[in-house]
Amino acid sequence: MSTTLQAVRGMNDVLPDEAPLWQHVEDVARRTFAQYGYRNLRVPIVESTPLFVRGIGDATDIVEKEMYTFADKLSGDSLTLRPEATAGIVRAAIEHNLTYERPLRVWTSGQMFRHERPQRGRYRQFHQIDVEALGFAGPDVDAEQIVMLARLWKALGLSDLVLKINSIGDADDRRQHRASLVAHFEQHHTLLDDDAKRRLQSNPLRLLDSKHPPMQPVIAAAPRLVERLGAPAREHFDGVRRALDNAAIAYEVDSRLVRGLDYYNRTVFEWVTGALGAQGAVAGGGRYDGLFEQLGGKPTPACGFACGMERLVLLLQVANVVASDGPIAYIVHAGDAAAAAAAALAERLRDAGHAVVVNAGGGSFKSQMKRADASGASLALIIGDDELAAQSVSVKPLRSNTGQVSVPASEIAASIATLAA
Ligand code: AMP
């Protein structure tokens, strides 16, 4: 006997009972983004590896150890399953000249892949909803994206997310800060772990992210970039804060927020929750004014963010939010003539826009009623010999204690919404 096959570790199925919540999040997000003029764009899941190495940065966790990279069988080209969406969107924008005439607001969603240690809220295949504003230089669009996220949380009924913002300045600001950071950490070299020692020269900013306990006092005393910004980055950050204040959005300035991708500059932000344990980041993003040039495009300032779908769904489950995709009615029937009447009635109801399931595969009245209940339908519509003779349908509410009623078959389509209410 062959062994049973299982899904790859860290890559999950979304089963039909869970899917309505996913669809709910996707629907609400799509509607919210449309309210701000964001348009959908879809990019491939597989891209050439150098896109991510150049875009995300070769000293990042993602590029150093988390990418699913393989050689194309025919060409031998190195390909990678996308670990995030921004690099692919910028590649597409450059390739199709999407943003050089006028700026563009876009969003996308789908699978991302990172070879991380799977745990609750952290998976190897996960889904992001990703939003990018391409070709916008001012702080207004940074704030607009944050305000849009606040609206999304409200529409989903999520009330306890905290917004953290920071500015990591312009390239010159970071160069100067980097030098003082390296000097600071070198003074405390013995307290650094191996990872930190290795990264001290290549990416000292990431040391601020370290969870290594002996390093915490050193990190707390490190020079803060947000307090040493040059005038342009300072004004930009002040602009973002003013716009958030005007929109009455509460935030915390977190000078340690650096994020795990190298392309960011100026504004970075994250929305976090305490409800998911260690995996508290629900959405994160920021400005990446240099990425177009880094990928061979013309200078194009831009700003974007990504939300983790799995974490949003987990949060809704924690908050006991239920979404249902049950039909309005499940039709139970017995005998050939009743089966034909059931199929015809179902089509009439579908013509009127209703979702209706017709029992298939036979079964006793009792087992059909069990299936009707399991379908999530509001009503069972019963057609047997008596109903056929009377040209009526017996309507049994499945979600309330209201009793069964008999309704003329010709009146079902008009009255079903009232009967299900
Ligand atoms: P990032 O692209 O790392 O800025 O992540 C943006 C968002 O994607 C995070 O705030 C998470 O909600 C989600 N996310 C990132 N990595 C994972 C993962 N391995 N599993 C599940 N969600 C993730």
Side-chain angles (χ1 to χ4, degrees):
M1 208 174 81
S2 58
T3 47
T4 320
L5 294 172
Q6 290 185 332
V8 175
R9 188 165 129 79
M11 306 203 183
N12 300 316
D13 302 307
V14 177
L15 301 179
D17 279 349
E18 210 187 339
L21 219 42
W22 283 70
Q23 289 178 315
H24 173 61
V25 173
E26 286 162 354
D27 288 348
V28 174
R30 189 180 305 125
R31 266 185 274 128
T32 306
F33 300 160
Q35 287 188 295
Y36 290 79
Y38 282 82
R39 302 176 65 202
N40 191 216
L41 170 77
R42 299 171 192 226
V43 288
I45 286 180
V46 177
E47 298 266 5
S48 74
T49 305
L51 172 67
F52 301 115
V53 177
R54 273 160 70 184
I56 299 170
D58 50 15
T60 57
D61 275 351
I62 294 179
V63 171
E64 269 191 347
K65 43 191 182 201
E66 294 172 0
M67 294 206 304
Y68 283 86
T69 296
F70 56 96
D72 181 79
K73 267 191 189 154
L74 281 182
S75 66
D77 292 347
S78 179
L79 303 177
T80 292
L81 299 184
R82 63 181 180 192
E84 56 99 57
T86 308
I89 287 181
V90 169
R91 187 227 10 96
I94 296 170
E95 192 170 327
H96 305 285
N97 288 311
L98 295 183
T99 58
Y100 296 145
E101 301 260 307
R102 66 190 72 83
L104 182 69
R105 290 173 170 88
V106 289
W107 70 272
T108 199
S109 65
Q111 284 91 334
M112 308 294 155
F113 301 84
R114 296 183 195 173
H115 204 281
E116 304 196 78
R117 196 169 58 80
Q119 52 194 291
R120 180 171 141 95
R122 181 177 294 279
Y123 310 101
R124 291 181 173 170
Q125 174 187 267
F126 59 100
H127 299 72
Q128 285 183 340
I129 307 180
D130 183 86
V131 171
E132 314 289 351
L134 310 173
F136 297 87
D140 46 358
V141 81
D142 311 21
E144 179 189 87
Q145 291 188 342
I146 294 172
V147 170
M148 182 167 86
L149 272 174
R151 182 179 291 278
L152 177 61
W153 308 148
K154 201 168 150 200
L156 288 171
L158 298 173
S159 56
D160 58 355
L161 292 176
V162 173
L163 171 63
K164 296 186 172 181
I165 62 171
N166 189 23
S167 173
I168 56 168
D170 289 316
D172 271 350
D173 306 335
R174 280 199 299 284
R175 247 190 302 278
Q176 285 175 26
H177 176 248
R178 182 194 163 105
S180 37
L181 214 52
V182 172
H184 172 78
F185 281 115
E186 265 171 355
Q187 279 176 4
H188 305 278
H189 201 259
T190 50
L191 296 174
L192 307 187
D193 60 2
D194 288 346
D195 210 34
K197 282 178 186 156
R198 197 167 47 79
R199 279 186 168 159
L200 182 55
Q201 298 299 335
S202 63
N203 199 351
L205 213 57
R206 291 304 311 282
L207 268 60
L208 300 173
D209 248 359
S210 168
K211 304 282 183 285
H212 186 51
M215 285 175 58
Q216 298 313 306
V218 189
I219 290 171
R224 292 182 183 160
L225 178 49
V226 68
E227 289 163 11
R228 301 164 165 228
L229 298 174
R234 158 71 41 211
E235 278 160 29
H236 189 101
F237 195 45
D238 288 346
V240 174
R241 297 181 59 168
R242 249 193 327 273
L244 293 179
D245 292 338
N246 288 341
I249 305 277
Y251 58 84
E252 231 172 74
V253 176
D254 179 353
S255 64
R256 287 174 59 172
L257 182 63
V258 292
R259 311 207 14 84
L261 301 88
D262 274 359
Y263 50 59
Y264 288 111
N265 70 313
R266 296 196 179 179
T267 320
V268 289
F269 62 90
E270 222 159 67
W271 288 86
V272 297
T273 173
L276 297 180
Q279 309 310 321
V282 175
R287 184 158 276 285
Y288 50 94
D289 295 330
L291 186 56
F292 272 73
E293 284 165 280
Q294 222 167 298
L295 296 178
K298 299 183 199 166
T300 306
C303 180
F305 67 82
C307 314
M309 276 294 292
E310 282 79 0
R311 294 186 194 176
L312 281 175
V313 169
L314 278 170
L315 270 184
L316 292 176
Q317 286 168 341
V318 168
N320 289 321
V321 174
V322 283
S324 158
D325 61 351
I328 192 167
Y330 187 102
I331 308 186
V332 169
H333 54 90
D336 289 345
L345 174 63
E347 286 303 315
R348 282 213 315 280
L349 290 171
R350 290 173 191 138
D351 284 344
H354 297 293
V356 180
V357 175
V358 181
N359 185 73
S364 66
F365 177 77
K366 200 171 152 197
S367 75
Q368 290 195 40
M369 284 304 288
K370 272 194 188 152
R371 289 190 210 165
D373 193 46
S375 75
S378 306
L379 304 168
L381 305 184
I382 303 158
I383 306 179
D385 291 340
D386 295 349
E387 285 84 1
L388 275 182
Q391 295 194 343
S392 70
V393 175
S394 296
V395 179
K396 182 170 171 49
L398 297 171
R399 313 290 151 201
S400 69
N401 293 326
T402 328
Q404 185 168 315
V405 290
S406 177
V407 178
S410 58
E411 287 173 20
I412 285 282
S415 57
I416 191 164
T418 319
L419 290 163

